[in-house]
Short mmCIF file of all heavy atoms in Angstrom, two decimals:
data_model
loop_
_atom_site.label_atom_id
_atom_site.label_comp_id
_atom_site.label_asym_id
_atom_site.label_seq_id
_atom_site.Cartn_x
_atom_site.Cartn_y
_atom_site.Cartn_z
N MET A 1 90.71 108.64 110.20
CA MET A 1 91.75 109.53 109.73
C MET A 1 91.35 110.20 108.42
O MET A 1 90.74 109.57 107.57
CB MET A 1 93.05 108.75 109.54
CG MET A 1 94.27 109.58 109.92
SD MET A 1 95.77 108.60 109.85
CE MET A 1 96.42 109.10 108.25
N ASN A 2 91.71 111.43 108.28
CA ASN A 2 91.36 112.20 107.10
C ASN A 2 92.44 112.08 106.03
O ASN A 2 93.48 112.70 106.11
CB ASN A 2 91.16 113.66 107.51
CG ASN A 2 90.35 114.42 106.47
OD1 ASN A 2 89.92 113.84 105.47
ND2 ASN A 2 90.16 115.70 106.69
N LYS A 3 92.20 111.27 105.02
CA LYS A 3 93.20 111.01 104.00
C LYS A 3 93.04 111.96 102.83
O LYS A 3 91.94 112.18 102.36
CB LYS A 3 93.06 109.57 103.52
CG LYS A 3 94.31 109.01 102.88
CD LYS A 3 94.10 107.53 102.71
CE LYS A 3 95.07 106.81 101.84
NZ LYS A 3 96.25 107.21 101.34
N GLN A 4 94.16 112.51 102.38
CA GLN A 4 94.14 113.42 101.24
C GLN A 4 93.98 112.62 99.95
O GLN A 4 94.81 111.81 99.61
CB GLN A 4 95.46 114.19 101.20
CG GLN A 4 95.60 115.09 99.98
CD GLN A 4 95.33 116.54 100.30
OE1 GLN A 4 95.13 116.88 101.45
NE2 GLN A 4 95.33 117.39 99.30
N THR A 5 92.88 112.82 99.24
CA THR A 5 92.67 112.07 98.01
C THR A 5 92.59 112.96 96.78
O THR A 5 92.64 112.47 95.67
CB THR A 5 91.38 111.22 98.09
OG1 THR A 5 90.32 112.05 98.51
CG2 THR A 5 91.54 110.06 99.07
N SER A 6 92.44 114.27 97.00
CA SER A 6 92.47 115.15 95.84
C SER A 6 93.49 116.25 96.07
O SER A 6 93.77 116.64 97.20
CB SER A 6 91.08 115.74 95.57
OG SER A 6 90.68 116.53 96.66
N CYS A 7 94.03 116.75 94.97
CA CYS A 7 95.12 117.73 95.02
C CYS A 7 94.70 119.02 95.71
O CYS A 7 93.62 119.54 95.44
CB CYS A 7 95.58 118.02 93.60
SG CYS A 7 96.88 119.25 93.50
N PHE A 8 95.58 119.54 96.57
CA PHE A 8 95.27 120.78 97.28
C PHE A 8 95.35 121.98 96.35
O PHE A 8 94.86 123.05 96.65
CB PHE A 8 96.19 120.97 98.49
CG PHE A 8 97.65 120.88 98.18
CD1 PHE A 8 98.37 122.01 97.84
CD2 PHE A 8 98.31 119.66 98.23
CE1 PHE A 8 99.72 121.92 97.54
CE2 PHE A 8 99.67 119.57 97.92
CZ PHE A 8 100.37 120.69 97.57
N ARG A 9 95.97 121.80 95.18
CA ARG A 9 96.09 122.90 94.22
C ARG A 9 94.98 122.88 93.19
O ARG A 9 94.30 123.87 92.97
CB ARG A 9 97.42 122.79 93.46
CG ARG A 9 98.56 123.48 94.13
CD ARG A 9 99.66 123.68 93.10
NE ARG A 9 100.98 123.45 93.69
CZ ARG A 9 102.05 123.10 93.00
NH1 ARG A 9 101.95 122.88 91.70
NH2 ARG A 9 103.19 122.95 93.58
N CYS A 10 94.84 121.73 92.52
CA CYS A 10 93.93 121.69 91.37
C CYS A 10 92.80 120.68 91.53
O CYS A 10 92.01 120.49 90.62
CB CYS A 10 94.71 121.40 90.09
SG CYS A 10 95.26 119.68 89.97
N LYS A 11 92.76 120.03 92.70
CA LYS A 11 91.73 119.02 93.00
C LYS A 11 91.84 117.79 92.10
O LYS A 11 90.90 117.01 91.97
CB LYS A 11 90.29 119.60 92.87
CG LYS A 11 90.06 120.87 93.67
CD LYS A 11 89.86 120.56 95.13
CE LYS A 11 89.64 121.84 95.94
NZ LYS A 11 90.33 121.80 97.24
N GLY A 12 93.00 117.62 91.47
CA GLY A 12 93.24 116.43 90.64
C GLY A 12 93.35 115.19 91.50
O GLY A 12 93.41 115.26 92.74
N ASN A 13 93.40 114.05 90.86
CA ASN A 13 93.48 112.77 91.56
C ASN A 13 94.90 112.52 92.06
O ASN A 13 95.87 112.70 91.34
CB ASN A 13 93.04 111.67 90.57
CG ASN A 13 92.83 110.35 91.28
OD1 ASN A 13 92.40 110.33 92.44
ND2 ASN A 13 93.13 109.27 90.61
N MET A 14 95.03 112.10 93.33
CA MET A 14 96.35 111.84 93.91
C MET A 14 96.68 110.35 93.80
O MET A 14 95.86 109.49 94.11
CB MET A 14 96.38 112.25 95.38
CG MET A 14 96.04 113.70 95.67
SD MET A 14 97.18 114.88 94.91
CE MET A 14 98.50 114.93 96.13
N ILE A 15 97.89 110.05 93.35
CA ILE A 15 98.32 108.66 93.26
C ILE A 15 99.55 108.45 94.14
O ILE A 15 100.29 109.38 94.42
CB ILE A 15 98.65 108.25 91.80
CG1 ILE A 15 99.61 109.25 91.16
CG2 ILE A 15 97.38 108.13 90.97
CD1 ILE A 15 100.24 108.76 89.88
N ASN A 16 99.76 107.23 94.57
CA ASN A 16 100.95 106.91 95.38
C ASN A 16 102.19 106.91 94.51
O ASN A 16 102.19 106.36 93.42
CB ASN A 16 100.79 105.55 96.04
CG ASN A 16 99.76 105.58 97.14
OD1 ASN A 16 99.87 106.37 98.07
ND2 ASN A 16 98.76 104.74 97.04
N ASN A 17 103.24 107.54 95.01
CA ASN A 17 104.49 107.59 94.26
C ASN A 17 105.66 107.66 95.24
O ASN A 17 105.45 107.71 96.45
CB ASN A 17 104.47 108.81 93.33
CG ASN A 17 105.38 108.60 92.12
OD1 ASN A 17 106.16 107.65 92.06
ND2 ASN A 17 105.27 109.48 91.16
N MET A 18 106.86 107.66 94.72
CA MET A 18 108.06 107.81 95.54
C MET A 18 108.84 108.99 94.98
O MET A 18 108.99 109.12 93.77
CB MET A 18 108.95 106.58 95.40
CG MET A 18 108.27 105.30 95.79
SD MET A 18 108.93 104.73 97.33
CE MET A 18 108.91 102.97 97.05
N ILE A 19 109.35 109.84 95.87
CA ILE A 19 110.20 110.93 95.39
C ILE A 19 111.48 111.00 96.20
O ILE A 19 111.62 110.39 97.26
CB ILE A 19 109.50 112.31 95.43
CG1 ILE A 19 109.05 112.66 96.84
CG2 ILE A 19 108.37 112.39 94.43
CD1 ILE A 19 108.71 114.14 96.99
N THR A 20 112.42 111.76 95.67
CA THR A 20 113.67 112.01 96.37
C THR A 20 113.52 113.33 97.11
O THR A 20 113.28 114.37 96.51
CB THR A 20 114.84 112.09 95.37
OG1 THR A 20 114.91 110.85 94.68
CG2 THR A 20 116.15 112.34 96.07
N HIS A 21 113.62 113.26 98.44
CA HIS A 21 113.43 114.44 99.28
C HIS A 21 114.80 115.07 99.54
O HIS A 21 115.70 114.41 100.06
CB HIS A 21 112.78 113.99 100.58
CG HIS A 21 112.45 115.11 101.53
ND1 HIS A 21 111.63 116.16 101.18
CD2 HIS A 21 112.81 115.32 102.82
CE1 HIS A 21 111.51 116.98 102.23
NE2 HIS A 21 112.21 116.50 103.22
N VAL A 22 114.97 116.34 99.15
CA VAL A 22 116.27 117.01 99.27
C VAL A 22 116.15 118.19 100.23
O VAL A 22 115.24 119.01 100.11
CB VAL A 22 116.77 117.51 97.90
CG1 VAL A 22 118.14 118.17 98.03
CG2 VAL A 22 116.83 116.36 96.90
N VAL A 23 117.07 118.26 101.19
CA VAL A 23 117.08 119.36 102.15
C VAL A 23 118.47 119.99 102.18
O VAL A 23 119.48 119.28 102.26
CB VAL A 23 116.73 118.86 103.58
CG1 VAL A 23 116.83 120.00 104.59
CG2 VAL A 23 115.33 118.27 103.61
N ASP A 24 118.52 121.32 102.09
CA ASP A 24 119.79 122.02 102.24
C ASP A 24 119.92 122.48 103.67
O ASP A 24 119.01 123.10 104.22
CB ASP A 24 119.85 123.24 101.31
CG ASP A 24 120.10 122.84 99.87
OD1 ASP A 24 120.99 122.00 99.66
OD2 ASP A 24 119.39 123.34 98.98
N HIS A 25 121.05 122.17 104.29
CA HIS A 25 121.23 122.54 105.69
C HIS A 25 122.67 122.96 105.93
O HIS A 25 123.59 122.14 105.83
CB HIS A 25 120.87 121.33 106.59
CG HIS A 25 121.22 121.53 108.03
ND1 HIS A 25 120.51 122.37 108.85
CD2 HIS A 25 122.23 121.03 108.78
CE1 HIS A 25 121.07 122.36 110.05
NE2 HIS A 25 122.11 121.55 110.03
N ASP A 26 122.89 124.25 106.22
CA ASP A 26 124.22 124.74 106.55
C ASP A 26 125.29 124.34 105.54
O ASP A 26 126.38 123.91 105.91
CB ASP A 26 124.64 124.19 107.92
CG ASP A 26 124.28 125.17 109.04
OD1 ASP A 26 123.80 126.29 108.71
OD2 ASP A 26 124.48 124.82 110.21
N GLY A 27 124.98 124.44 104.27
CA GLY A 27 125.96 124.08 103.25
C GLY A 27 126.05 122.60 102.98
O GLY A 27 126.83 122.16 102.14
N SER A 28 125.26 121.80 103.68
CA SER A 28 125.21 120.37 103.43
C SER A 28 123.94 120.04 102.65
O SER A 28 122.93 120.71 102.80
CB SER A 28 125.18 119.57 104.74
OG SER A 28 126.32 119.85 105.50
N THR A 29 124.04 119.03 101.83
CA THR A 29 122.86 118.55 101.12
C THR A 29 122.46 117.19 101.67
O THR A 29 123.25 116.25 101.66
CB THR A 29 123.14 118.46 99.60
OG1 THR A 29 123.62 119.73 99.15
CG2 THR A 29 121.86 118.11 98.83
N LEU A 30 121.25 117.11 102.20
CA LEU A 30 120.74 115.88 102.79
C LEU A 30 119.68 115.32 101.85
O LEU A 30 118.71 115.99 101.53
CB LEU A 30 120.15 116.15 104.17
CG LEU A 30 121.00 117.05 105.08
CD1 LEU A 30 120.25 117.38 106.36
CD2 LEU A 30 122.33 116.39 105.41
N ILE A 31 119.87 114.08 101.44
CA ILE A 31 118.96 113.48 100.45
C ILE A 31 118.37 112.19 100.99
O ILE A 31 119.08 111.31 101.47
CB ILE A 31 119.70 113.21 99.13
CG1 ILE A 31 120.21 114.55 98.55
CG2 ILE A 31 118.79 112.50 98.12
CD1 ILE A 31 121.06 114.37 97.30
N VAL A 32 117.05 112.12 100.95
CA VAL A 32 116.36 110.88 101.34
C VAL A 32 115.66 110.34 100.09
O VAL A 32 114.74 110.97 99.55
CB VAL A 32 115.33 111.12 102.46
CG1 VAL A 32 114.70 109.79 102.88
CG2 VAL A 32 115.98 111.80 103.66
N LYS A 33 116.12 109.18 99.63
CA LYS A 33 115.55 108.59 98.42
C LYS A 33 114.34 107.72 98.74
O LYS A 33 114.21 107.24 99.86
CB LYS A 33 116.61 107.75 97.70
CG LYS A 33 117.73 108.59 97.12
CD LYS A 33 118.80 107.71 96.54
CE LYS A 33 118.61 107.65 95.02
NZ LYS A 33 119.76 106.94 94.39
N ASN A 34 113.51 107.52 97.74
CA ASN A 34 112.35 106.63 97.85
C ASN A 34 111.37 107.01 98.96
O ASN A 34 110.83 106.14 99.64
CB ASN A 34 112.79 105.18 98.08
CG ASN A 34 113.63 104.64 96.94
OD1 ASN A 34 113.68 105.25 95.87
ND2 ASN A 34 114.28 103.52 97.14
N ALA A 35 111.17 108.30 99.16
CA ALA A 35 110.20 108.72 100.16
C ALA A 35 108.79 108.58 99.58
O ALA A 35 108.50 109.12 98.51
CB ALA A 35 110.45 110.17 100.57
N PRO A 36 107.92 107.82 100.26
CA PRO A 36 106.57 107.63 99.73
C PRO A 36 105.75 108.90 99.83
O PRO A 36 105.74 109.56 100.87
CB PRO A 36 105.98 106.53 100.61
CG PRO A 36 106.83 106.48 101.83
CD PRO A 36 108.14 107.12 101.51
N CYS A 37 105.08 109.26 98.76
CA CYS A 37 104.28 110.48 98.76
C CYS A 37 103.03 110.26 97.92
O CYS A 37 102.88 109.23 97.28
CB CYS A 37 105.09 111.64 98.19
SG CYS A 37 105.36 111.48 96.42
N LEU A 38 102.16 111.23 97.96
CA LEU A 38 101.02 111.26 97.05
C LEU A 38 101.34 112.31 95.99
O LEU A 38 101.78 113.40 96.32
CB LEU A 38 99.74 111.64 97.80
CG LEU A 38 99.26 110.61 98.83
CD1 LEU A 38 98.15 111.20 99.69
CD2 LEU A 38 98.79 109.33 98.16
N GLU A 39 101.12 111.96 94.74
CA GLU A 39 101.43 112.89 93.67
C GLU A 39 100.19 113.12 92.81
O GLU A 39 99.47 112.18 92.48
CB GLU A 39 102.57 112.33 92.80
CG GLU A 39 103.02 113.34 91.75
CD GLU A 39 104.21 112.84 90.94
OE1 GLU A 39 104.91 111.93 91.38
OE2 GLU A 39 104.40 113.39 89.85
N CYS A 40 99.98 114.37 92.44
CA CYS A 40 98.82 114.72 91.62
C CYS A 40 99.04 114.28 90.17
O CYS A 40 100.09 114.57 89.59
CB CYS A 40 98.58 116.23 91.68
SG CYS A 40 97.25 116.76 90.60
N GLU A 41 98.06 113.59 89.62
CA GLU A 41 98.16 113.13 88.23
C GLU A 41 98.16 114.29 87.25
O GLU A 41 98.70 114.19 86.17
CB GLU A 41 96.97 112.22 87.90
CG GLU A 41 97.11 110.81 88.44
CD GLU A 41 95.92 109.94 88.04
OE1 GLU A 41 94.78 110.45 88.05
OE2 GLU A 41 96.13 108.77 87.74
N LYS A 42 97.51 115.37 87.65
CA LYS A 42 97.34 116.52 86.74
C LYS A 42 98.52 117.47 86.79
O LYS A 42 99.15 117.74 85.78
CB LYS A 42 96.09 117.30 87.15
CG LYS A 42 94.83 116.91 86.41
CD LYS A 42 93.83 118.04 86.63
CE LYS A 42 92.42 117.67 86.28
NZ LYS A 42 91.50 118.70 86.83
N CYS A 43 98.82 118.03 87.98
CA CYS A 43 99.81 119.11 88.04
C CYS A 43 101.13 118.67 88.66
O CYS A 43 102.09 119.43 88.68
CB CYS A 43 99.25 120.31 88.80
SG CYS A 43 99.15 120.09 90.58
N GLY A 44 101.19 117.44 89.17
CA GLY A 44 102.46 116.93 89.67
C GLY A 44 102.82 117.38 91.08
O GLY A 44 103.92 117.13 91.55
N ALA A 45 101.90 118.07 91.76
CA ALA A 45 102.15 118.48 93.13
C ALA A 45 102.34 117.24 94.01
O ALA A 45 101.65 116.24 93.82
CB ALA A 45 100.99 119.31 93.66
N THR A 46 103.30 117.30 94.93
CA THR A 46 103.51 116.15 95.81
C THR A 46 103.17 116.52 97.24
O THR A 46 103.29 117.67 97.66
CB THR A 46 104.96 115.65 95.73
OG1 THR A 46 105.83 116.74 96.00
CG2 THR A 46 105.26 115.04 94.38
N TYR A 47 102.74 115.52 97.98
CA TYR A 47 102.25 115.73 99.33
C TYR A 47 102.65 114.53 100.19
O TYR A 47 102.46 113.39 99.78
CB TYR A 47 100.72 115.88 99.23
CG TYR A 47 99.98 115.86 100.54
CD1 TYR A 47 99.81 117.04 101.27
CD2 TYR A 47 99.44 114.68 101.04
CE1 TYR A 47 99.13 117.03 102.48
CE2 TYR A 47 98.76 114.66 102.25
CZ TYR A 47 98.61 115.84 102.96
OH TYR A 47 97.94 115.81 104.16
N PHE A 48 103.24 114.82 101.37
CA PHE A 48 103.58 113.73 102.29
C PHE A 48 102.45 113.54 103.29
O PHE A 48 101.95 114.51 103.85
CB PHE A 48 104.86 114.04 103.07
CG PHE A 48 106.10 114.01 102.21
CD1 PHE A 48 106.91 115.12 102.11
CD2 PHE A 48 106.45 112.86 101.53
CE1 PHE A 48 108.05 115.10 101.32
CE2 PHE A 48 107.59 112.82 100.74
CZ PHE A 48 108.39 113.95 100.64
N GLU A 49 102.07 112.31 103.53
CA GLU A 49 101.07 112.05 104.55
C GLU A 49 101.72 112.26 105.92
O GLU A 49 102.93 112.09 106.08
CB GLU A 49 100.53 110.63 104.41
CG GLU A 49 99.66 110.49 103.16
CD GLU A 49 99.03 109.11 103.06
OE1 GLU A 49 99.70 108.21 102.56
OE2 GLU A 49 97.88 108.96 103.49
N GLY A 50 100.90 112.56 106.93
CA GLY A 50 101.38 112.89 108.27
C GLY A 50 102.50 112.02 108.81
O GLY A 50 103.57 112.53 109.16
N PRO A 51 102.28 110.70 108.88
CA PRO A 51 103.30 109.83 109.45
C PRO A 51 104.61 109.85 108.66
O PRO A 51 105.69 109.78 109.24
CB PRO A 51 102.67 108.43 109.38
CG PRO A 51 101.21 108.66 109.21
CD PRO A 51 101.06 109.97 108.52
N VAL A 52 104.50 109.98 107.33
CA VAL A 52 105.70 110.02 106.49
C VAL A 52 106.45 111.34 106.73
O VAL A 52 107.68 111.36 106.85
CB VAL A 52 105.33 109.88 104.99
CG1 VAL A 52 106.56 110.03 104.11
CG2 VAL A 52 104.66 108.53 104.74
N ALA A 53 105.71 112.44 106.82
CA ALA A 53 106.32 113.75 107.06
C ALA A 53 107.07 113.74 108.40
O ALA A 53 108.19 114.26 108.50
CB ALA A 53 105.25 114.83 107.07
N LYS A 54 106.45 113.14 109.42
CA LYS A 54 107.08 113.06 110.74
C LYS A 54 108.35 112.22 110.68
O LYS A 54 109.38 112.56 111.25
CB LYS A 54 106.11 112.43 111.75
CG LYS A 54 105.09 113.40 112.28
CD LYS A 54 104.70 113.01 113.72
CE LYS A 54 103.64 113.97 114.26
NZ LYS A 54 102.29 113.47 113.98
N ARG A 55 108.26 111.10 109.98
CA ARG A 55 109.39 110.18 109.85
C ARG A 55 110.53 110.87 109.10
O ARG A 55 111.70 110.75 109.47
CB ARG A 55 108.91 108.91 109.13
CG ARG A 55 109.97 107.88 108.88
CD ARG A 55 110.47 107.23 110.16
NE ARG A 55 111.64 106.45 109.85
CZ ARG A 55 112.64 106.22 110.69
NH1 ARG A 55 112.60 106.66 111.92
NH2 ARG A 55 113.69 105.52 110.32
N LEU A 56 110.20 111.61 108.05
CA LEU A 56 111.22 112.32 107.27
C LEU A 56 111.94 113.34 108.14
O LEU A 56 113.15 113.50 108.05
CB LEU A 56 110.57 113.03 106.07
CG LEU A 56 110.42 112.19 104.80
CD1 LEU A 56 109.60 112.95 103.77
CD2 LEU A 56 111.76 111.80 104.21
N GLU A 57 111.18 114.04 108.98
CA GLU A 57 111.76 115.03 109.88
C GLU A 57 112.80 114.36 110.78
O GLU A 57 113.88 114.89 111.02
CB GLU A 57 110.67 115.62 110.77
CG GLU A 57 110.35 117.06 110.46
CD GLU A 57 109.20 117.56 111.32
OE1 GLU A 57 109.36 117.60 112.55
OE2 GLU A 57 108.14 117.86 110.74
N LYS A 58 112.44 113.19 111.28
CA LYS A 58 113.32 112.44 112.17
C LYS A 58 114.60 112.02 111.45
O LYS A 58 115.70 112.14 111.98
CB LYS A 58 112.58 111.19 112.67
CG LYS A 58 112.59 111.05 114.19
CD LYS A 58 111.89 109.79 114.61
CE LYS A 58 112.63 109.13 115.77
NZ LYS A 58 112.07 107.81 116.09
N ILE A 59 114.42 111.52 110.23
CA ILE A 59 115.58 111.09 109.44
C ILE A 59 116.49 112.28 109.16
O ILE A 59 117.70 112.22 109.35
CB ILE A 59 115.13 110.43 108.10
CG1 ILE A 59 114.38 109.12 108.38
CG2 ILE A 59 116.33 110.17 107.20
CD1 ILE A 59 113.73 108.49 107.15
N ILE A 60 115.89 113.41 108.75
CA ILE A 60 116.67 114.61 108.43
C ILE A 60 117.41 115.12 109.67
O ILE A 60 118.58 115.50 109.61
CB ILE A 60 115.76 115.72 107.85
CG1 ILE A 60 115.23 115.32 106.47
CG2 ILE A 60 116.49 117.05 107.76
CD1 ILE A 60 116.26 115.17 105.36
N ASP A 61 116.75 115.09 110.82
CA ASP A 61 117.39 115.51 112.07
C ASP A 61 118.65 114.70 112.33
O ASP A 61 119.67 115.23 112.76
CB ASP A 61 116.42 115.33 113.25
CG ASP A 61 115.67 116.61 113.55
OD1 ASP A 61 116.00 117.65 112.91
OD2 ASP A 61 114.77 116.60 114.40
N LYS A 62 118.55 113.41 112.10
CA LYS A 62 119.68 112.51 112.29
C LYS A 62 120.81 112.86 111.33
O LYS A 62 121.98 112.91 111.71
CB LYS A 62 119.22 111.07 112.03
CG LYS A 62 119.44 110.13 113.19
CD LYS A 62 119.13 108.74 112.69
CE LYS A 62 119.01 107.75 113.82
NZ LYS A 62 118.57 106.44 113.28
N LEU A 63 120.44 113.10 110.07
CA LEU A 63 121.44 113.38 109.04
C LEU A 63 122.17 114.69 109.33
O LEU A 63 123.33 114.85 108.97
CB LEU A 63 120.78 113.44 107.65
CG LEU A 63 120.12 112.15 107.15
CD1 LEU A 63 119.61 112.34 105.73
CD2 LEU A 63 121.07 110.97 107.21
N LYS A 64 121.46 115.64 109.98
CA LYS A 64 122.07 116.94 110.30
C LYS A 64 123.27 116.78 111.23
O LYS A 64 124.16 117.60 111.24
CB LYS A 64 121.04 117.86 110.95
CG LYS A 64 120.10 118.49 109.94
CD LYS A 64 119.05 119.34 110.64
CE LYS A 64 118.05 119.90 109.65
NZ LYS A 64 116.92 120.56 110.34
N SER A 65 123.25 115.71 112.05
CA SER A 65 124.33 115.51 113.01
C SER A 65 125.57 114.91 112.33
O SER A 65 126.64 114.88 112.92
CB SER A 65 123.86 114.61 114.16
OG SER A 65 123.55 113.33 113.65
N ILE A 66 125.39 114.43 111.10
CA ILE A 66 126.54 113.92 110.34
C ILE A 66 127.19 115.11 109.66
O ILE A 66 126.54 115.83 108.91
CB ILE A 66 126.11 112.88 109.27
CG1 ILE A 66 125.34 111.74 109.93
CG2 ILE A 66 127.32 112.37 108.50
CD1 ILE A 66 124.68 110.80 108.92
N ASN A 67 128.47 115.33 109.91
CA ASN A 67 129.14 116.49 109.36
C ASN A 67 129.72 116.18 107.99
O ASN A 67 130.92 116.02 107.84
CB ASN A 67 130.22 116.97 110.34
CG ASN A 67 130.67 118.38 110.01
OD1 ASN A 67 129.98 119.11 109.28
ND2 ASN A 67 131.82 118.77 110.51
N ALA A 68 128.83 116.07 107.00
CA ALA A 68 129.29 115.76 105.64
C ALA A 68 128.63 116.71 104.67
O ALA A 68 127.57 117.27 104.95
CB ALA A 68 128.95 114.33 105.30
N GLU A 69 129.28 116.92 103.52
CA GLU A 69 128.75 117.84 102.53
C GLU A 69 127.52 117.27 101.84
O GLU A 69 126.60 117.99 101.46
CB GLU A 69 129.82 118.11 101.48
CG GLU A 69 130.08 119.58 101.27
CD GLU A 69 131.26 119.79 100.37
OE1 GLU A 69 132.41 119.84 100.87
OE2 GLU A 69 131.04 119.90 99.17
N LEU A 70 127.55 115.94 101.69
CA LEU A 70 126.46 115.28 100.98
C LEU A 70 126.13 113.97 101.68
O LEU A 70 127.01 113.14 101.89
CB LEU A 70 126.87 115.01 99.53
CG LEU A 70 125.88 114.24 98.65
CD1 LEU A 70 124.63 115.05 98.39
CD2 LEU A 70 126.54 113.86 97.33
N VAL A 71 124.88 113.82 102.07
CA VAL A 71 124.44 112.57 102.70
C VAL A 71 123.25 112.04 101.91
O VAL A 71 122.29 112.76 101.67
CB VAL A 71 124.03 112.79 104.18
CG1 VAL A 71 123.76 111.45 104.86
CG2 VAL A 71 125.09 113.55 104.94
N VAL A 72 123.34 110.79 101.50
CA VAL A 72 122.25 110.18 100.76
C VAL A 72 121.82 108.90 101.48
O VAL A 72 122.64 108.03 101.72
CB VAL A 72 122.66 109.83 99.31
CG1 VAL A 72 121.46 109.31 98.52
CG2 VAL A 72 123.26 111.04 98.61
N VAL A 73 120.55 108.83 101.84
CA VAL A 73 120.04 107.61 102.47
C VAL A 73 118.73 107.21 101.79
O VAL A 73 118.11 108.00 101.07
CB VAL A 73 119.78 107.81 103.99
CG1 VAL A 73 121.07 108.08 104.74
CG2 VAL A 73 118.75 108.88 104.24
N LYS A 74 118.32 105.99 102.04
CA LYS A 74 117.03 105.55 101.54
C LYS A 74 116.01 105.70 102.67
O LYS A 74 116.34 105.48 103.83
CB LYS A 74 117.11 104.08 101.13
CG LYS A 74 117.57 103.90 99.71
CD LYS A 74 117.40 102.47 99.28
CE LYS A 74 118.03 102.23 97.92
NZ LYS A 74 118.40 100.84 97.73
N TYR A 75 114.81 106.05 102.31
CA TYR A 75 113.74 106.16 103.30
C TYR A 75 113.46 104.82 103.94
O TYR A 75 113.34 103.80 103.25
CB TYR A 75 112.45 106.68 102.64
CG TYR A 75 111.28 106.80 103.59
CD1 TYR A 75 111.07 107.96 104.31
CD2 TYR A 75 110.41 105.74 103.77
CE1 TYR A 75 110.02 108.08 105.19
CE2 TYR A 75 109.35 105.84 104.65
CZ TYR A 75 109.15 107.01 105.36
OH TYR A 75 108.10 107.10 106.23
N THR A 76 113.39 104.79 105.25
CA THR A 76 112.96 103.58 105.96
C THR A 76 111.86 104.00 106.93
O THR A 76 111.93 105.07 107.53
CB THR A 76 114.12 102.95 106.75
OG1 THR A 76 114.75 103.96 107.54
CG2 THR A 76 115.13 102.28 105.85
N ALA A 77 110.87 103.17 107.09
CA ALA A 77 109.74 103.51 107.96
C ALA A 77 110.10 103.39 109.44
O ALA A 77 109.49 104.04 110.28
CB ALA A 77 108.55 102.63 107.64
N THR A 78 111.11 102.56 109.72
CA THR A 78 111.55 102.39 111.11
C THR A 78 113.06 102.39 111.17
O THR A 78 113.72 102.26 110.13
CB THR A 78 111.05 101.06 111.71
OG1 THR A 78 111.42 100.02 110.81
CG2 THR A 78 109.55 101.06 111.92
N ASP A 79 113.63 102.53 112.37
CA ASP A 79 115.10 102.52 112.52
C ASP A 79 115.66 101.12 112.34
O ASP A 79 115.03 100.15 112.69
CB ASP A 79 115.47 103.05 113.91
CG ASP A 79 115.35 104.57 113.94
OD1 ASP A 79 115.74 105.21 112.94
OD2 ASP A 79 114.85 105.08 114.94
ZN1 ZN B 101 97.11 119.01 91.17
#
């Protein structure tokens, strides 16, 4: 597998971090906390690895079906 180890912007060193992923959808705000990402030490750019990005998409899809103005969940790798 091809792992991203340097920043796509500045080629800085990427470190493991957690961020809060926020999506606006039809006037609703969907928030996934503690999403694991790679973050650039230099410029702060964040990048989700493939499996995490796919998982986030799945979580967000689920949250879209909840008819609420604000939904906040914690990232989980599995259901
Ligand atoms: Zn960078």
